């Protein structure tokens, strides 16, 4: 290389660069740094003054990941004052000098002794100096230069966030965006195609596709049905070198689940069902279940059951179990096999959450017929009345007929009935009952004034099934007869004043009767004829018809001395 100057010929250090390049040739401009200019910028030249002496070189490069047996040649420093006699000594300082980069101080040849990784460090800043070996004085001013690590494609693209788990609604339009995946490449994006990534799908076609530039995954088919297939495993590959042969690649898995939409109406597995319910079923109890199937899940499978018609709509009701999505059939009124042996219900099951987008797939309801068979149950005898009231006179002889209870077998068998009295108290032993006819008779003589009323319980059972019992209360009223004489209401002790006038009332007396009013009062008062009469006193019956009769005594016209009498 020949260096000229308009003012003088001065020594110049020349740096020669030898670069091993991959995937093309790089071009670099020369930089001339004078004594007053040590800073350089790659590809540009700054000149401030006419140089007297200086360095001239191309940018240095070293290939990363060099695996050869010998140190990698980087370039050469050379001064135009070097006559080849070994008098010039070249010195290298800065990043990696003496460890990574070594220089032959006589020839100026620079070598790299280690394999470098551009992804760890992209360039090194060093300083070059030429001195006179004999005088140790600098021949050139120290100047800075850069050794750039040249990239090779030694890093495969990587997905840092995978594997992915995502969802997309079933029945989505083709081209619906599912997810965007991104792979990164640690190679130099400014040099060649080492970091230029292209995406492709390795597994998951024809259901999904991926945009080769953006990595956006989309649905590739119309109307993907969750009920047909719910889960997909999609493998996406990212390849550098713009997808060319020889590029490095990495992959990730995207697990895609189709979420449910209400695109399936409920359907009863059968159009006709039959249910057996015994006539003994309790009102309000659940007597059966029915269920319509829905291929959807969650809210999309929720439904409500309704009895829309049928002769059993007044006897039965239906509710919806939200957990099992079953229709629960309950009894509203008592069943009687002897009156009606079967009922028919038309039951509808309908979705409660509709999606208008799929209304064309409806209607989202279904109807089935349920026939309910009433089962005959051996029931206990049934009394003709819920309770009985009977009467018998007091003092009636034992075995006097009080009355009759009647019960019948409600079943079609019409079994014979037997009667008996539940002896739960002493009162129950005062009566007997004919086991065949239900006729109740007295077992003792009753006194109404002692006990006016008796309550007993009569039971009835079938001969064929004595364990089935019915009970009925029987109240027996004891009727009154006039079997009690009247009695003075109390003992009377009468005091008469000596100056009482003749004809003056001195006492009113009254009487009571234990019998009822029909057999007791009205009383007649008179003086006992069997006793001697006192002429000083008289008794008058006032003929009062009230429950308490009374008589009145008067003074006689005799002197008061003879008037005191009880």
């Amino acid at each position: 290389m020949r260096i000229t100057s308009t003012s003088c010929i001065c020594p110049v250090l020349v740096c020669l660069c030898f670069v091993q390049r991959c995937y093309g040739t790089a071009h670099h401009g020369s930089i001339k740094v004078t004594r007053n200019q040590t800073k350089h910028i790659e590809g540009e030249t700054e000149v401030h003054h006419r140089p007297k002496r200086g360095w001239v070189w191309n940018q240095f490069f070293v290939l990363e990941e060099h695996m050869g047996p010998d140190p990698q040649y980087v370039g050469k420093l050379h001064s135009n004052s070097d006559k080849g006699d070994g008098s010039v000594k070249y010195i290298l300082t800065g990043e990696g000098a003496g460890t990574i980069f070594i220089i032959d101080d006589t020839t100026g040849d620079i070598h790299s002794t280690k394999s470098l990784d551009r992804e760890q460090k992209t360039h090194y800043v060093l300083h070059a100096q030429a001195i006179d070996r004999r005088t140790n004085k600098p021949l050139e001013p120290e100047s800075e230069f850069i050794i750039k690590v040249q990239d090779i494609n030694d890093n495969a693209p990587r997905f840092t966030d995978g594997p992915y788990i995502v969802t997309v609604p079933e029945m989505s339009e083709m081209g619906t965006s599912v997810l965007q995946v991104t792979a990164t490449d640690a190679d130099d994006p400014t040099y060649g195609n080492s970091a230029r990534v292209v995406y492709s799908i390795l597994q998951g076609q024809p259901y999904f596709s991926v945009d080769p530039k953006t990595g956006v995954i989309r649905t590739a088919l119309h109307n993907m049905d969750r009920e047909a297939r719910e889960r997909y495993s999609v493998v996406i590959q990212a390849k550098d070198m713009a997808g060319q042969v020889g590029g490095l690649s990495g992959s990730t898995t995207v697990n895609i689940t189709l979420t449910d939409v209400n695109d399936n109406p409920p359907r009863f597995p059968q159009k006709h069902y039959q249910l057996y319910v015994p006539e003994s079923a309790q009102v309000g109890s659940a007597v059966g279940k029915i269920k319509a199937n829905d291929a959807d899940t969650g809210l999309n499978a929720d439904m409500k059951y309704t009895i829309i018609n049928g002769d059993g709509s007044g006897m039965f009701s239906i509710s919806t179990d939200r957990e099992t999505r079953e229709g629960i059939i309950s009894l509203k009124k008592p069943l009687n096999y002897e009156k009606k042996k079967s009922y028919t219900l038309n039951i509808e099951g309908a979705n409660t959450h509709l999606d208008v987008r799929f209304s064309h797939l409806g209607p989202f309801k279904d109807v089935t017929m349920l026939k309910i068979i009433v089962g005959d149950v051996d029931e206990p005898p049934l009394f003709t009345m819920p309770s009985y009231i009977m009467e018998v006179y007091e003092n009636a002889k034992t075995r006097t007929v009080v009355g009759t209870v009647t019960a019948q077998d409600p079943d079609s068998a019409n079994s014979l009935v037997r009667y008996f009295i539940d002896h739960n108290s002493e009162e129950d032993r005062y009566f007997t009952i004919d086991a065949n006819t239900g006729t109740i008779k007295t077992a003792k003589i009753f006194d109404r004034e002692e006990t006016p009323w008796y309550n007993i319980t009569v039971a009835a059972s079938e001969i064929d099934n004595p364990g089935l019992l019915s009970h009925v209360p029987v109240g027996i009223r004891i009727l009154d007869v006039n079997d009690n004489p009247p009695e003075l209401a109390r003992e009377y002790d009468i005091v008469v004043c000596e100056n009482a006038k003749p004809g003056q009332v001195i006492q009113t007396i009254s009487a009571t009767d234990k019998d009822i009013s029909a057999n007791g009062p009205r009383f007649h008062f008179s003086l006992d004829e069997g006793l001697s009469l006192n002429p000083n006193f008289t008794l008058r019956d006032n003929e009062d018809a009230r429950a308490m009769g009374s008589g009145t005594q008067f003074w006689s016209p005799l002197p008061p001395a003879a008037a005191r009498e009880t």
Side-chain angles (χ1 to χ4, degrees), residues 147-163:
I147 297 179
K148 186 175 181 180
V149 181
Q150 182 76 42
D151 183 49
I152 65 171
N153 189 19
D154 59 340
N155 288 278
R158 293 183 58 194
F159 292 92
T160 57
D161 297 329

Side-chain angles (χ1 to χ4, degrees), residues 122-371:
T122 60
H123 65 277
Y124 295 82
V125 179
L126 294 103
H127 298 87
Q129 188 175 22
I131 65 174
D132 189 313
R133 190 182 296 272
R134 292 170 302 198
T135 65
N136 212 29
K137 292 181 179 181
L139 300 176
E140 303 289 345
E142 182 181 276
S143 187
E144 180 182 280
F145 68 97
I146 294 174
I147 297 179
K148 186 175 181 180
V149 181
Q150 182 76 42
D151 183 49
I152 65 171
N153 189 19
D154 59 340
N155 288 278
R158 293 183 58 194
F159 292 92
T160 57
D161 297 329
Y164 301 85
I165 300 176
V166 293
T167 61
V168 63
E170 65 172 330
M171 311 299 288
S172 295
E173 292 291 333
M174 185 174 68
T176 298
S177 176
V178 179
L179 173 72
Q180 182 176 21
V181 295
T182 302
T184 59
D185 194 309
D187 292 322
D188 188 355
T190 65
Y191 179 73
N193 292 324
S194 297
R196 184 180 174 188
V197 175
V198 172
Y199 299 94
S200 62
I201 185 167
L202 299 182
Q203 176 182 306
Q205 294 175 320
Y207 307 103
F208 298 93
S209 64
V210 65
D211 188 295
K213 294 182 179 180
T214 64
V216 174
I217 301 172
R218 302 181 185 274
T219 58
L221 291 180
H222 285 290
N223 301 331
M224 296 176 65
D225 190 359
R226 184 198 68 85
E227 288 71 40
R229 181 176 176 182
E230 183 177 8
R231 293 180 175 84
Y232 297 82
S233 182
V234 178
V235 178
I236 301 297
Q237 175 183 266
K239 190 174 184 180
D240 61 17
M241 296 301 293
Q244 298 176 13
V245 177
L248 303 178
S249 64
S251 64
T252 189
T253 300
V254 182
N255 295 307
I256 303 174
T257 300
L258 299 183
T259 56
D260 188 59
V261 299
N262 191 8
D263 60 338
N264 290 278
R267 289 290 179 261
F268 287 102
Q270 301 172 210
K271 288 301 180 183
H272 297 87
Y273 291 87
Q274 187 167 294
L275 177 65
Y276 173 86
V277 180
E279 62 177 332
S280 60
Q282 297 295 313
V283 173
S285 64
V287 297
K289 299 179 181 180
I290 195 168
K291 185 176 183 181
N293 295 329
D294 194 317
D296 297 320
T297 61
L299 292 177
N300 298 319
D302 283 350
M303 66 185 70
K304 181 180 180 181
Y305 295 92
T306 308
I307 298 174
I308 54 177
N309 54 46
D311 61 0
S313 57
M315 296 292 294
F316 300 90
S317 63
I318 191 167
S319 60
T320 304
D321 188 319
R322 298 300 179 189
E323 296 296 326
T324 64
R325 297 188 176 94
E326 295 175 314
I328 309 300
I329 301 166
S330 300
L331 183 63
K332 293 171 59 177
K333 297 179 181 179
L335 297 173
N336 190 325
Y337 171 82
E338 287 69 34
K339 291 184 178 180
K340 190 170 178 61
K341 296 178 173 57
S342 67
Y343 296 89
T344 299
L345 301 175
N346 290 319
I347 298 176
E348 177 186 85
N351 280 152
T352 55
H353 299 85
L354 301 180
D355 192 329
V356 295
R357 296 176 300 169
F358 307 105
S359 58
H360 63 283
L361 299 176
F364 284 80
K365 59 185 178 180
D366 196 19
V367 177
T368 191
M369 178 182 291
L370 174 63
K371 184 176 183 180

Side-chain angles (χ1 to χ4, degrees), residues 378 381 409 413-418 461-468:
D378 193 5
D409 180 9
N414 197 21
S415 300
L416 294 178
V417 176
R418 292 292 179 263
S461 66
E462 298 177 14
I463 293 179
D464 298 337
N465 192 352
L468 290 176

Side-chain angles (χ1 to χ4, degrees), residues 5-32:
S5 174
T6 58
S7 59
C8 65
I9 302 297
C10 50
V12 176
L13 183 63
V14 179
C15 300
L16 302 179
C17 174
F18 174 77
V19 181
Q20 298 178 11
R21 294 183 174 86
C22 297
Y23 317 117
T25 303
H27 301 278
H28 308 275
S30 298
I31 298 177
K32 183 176 183 180

Side-chain angles (χ1 to χ4, degrees), residues 33-46:
V33 182
T34 68
R35 188 181 304 267
N36 298 320
Q37 176 194 351
T38 59
K39 180 179 179 183
H40 77 279
I41 300 174
E42 179 182 349
E44 297 183 2
T45 302
E46 295 183 7

